[in-house]
Amino acid sequence: YMSSPSVIKLNGVRINYVYTNNEWLQVKIPKSLLKADGFNVLQIEAGFYFLAENHVAYDEIELQHIALNF
């Protein structure tokens, strides 16, 4: 099966895609998207694919060694 890529969003704005088995991914976050009050939401949406009878299945996401550098 072929699934859609996972999506990384910051404050509701798509900033990057993550494709299957992507390792050592580095994502640059545009400073213009950061909120001045310091309350920011980083979101990762799993990719999906269709099974028989149009049932939707979602990819598993495993995160390791996450670092946020400013």
Side-chain angles (χ1 to χ4, degrees):
Y1 64 90
M2 185 72 167
S3 67
S4 66
S6 298
V7 177
I8 299 175
K9 293 181 178 180
L10 177 66
N11 298 324
V13 177
R14 183 182 62 232
I15 58 174
N16 206 346
Y17 291 104
V18 179
Y19 295 93
T20 305
N21 296 328
N22 199 341
E23 293 185 19
W24 300 105
L25 176 69
Q26 293 184 1
V27 176
K28 289 193 174 198
I29 296 175
K31 289 182 181 180
S32 62
L33 294 180
L34 293 172
K35 294 181 181 178
D37 65 4
F39 184 77
N40 294 282
V41 177
L42 185 63
Q43 178 180 358
I44 301 173
E45 296 178 355
F48 63 91
Y49 55 96
F50 292 99
L51 299 172
E53 300 179 12
N54 287 332
H55 288 108
V56 177
Y58 293 90
D59 292 332
E60 293 180 9
I61 297 176
E62 181 179 331
L63 304 173
Q64 294 181 23
H65 309 290
I66 296 174
L68 299 175
N69 299 312
F70 297 95

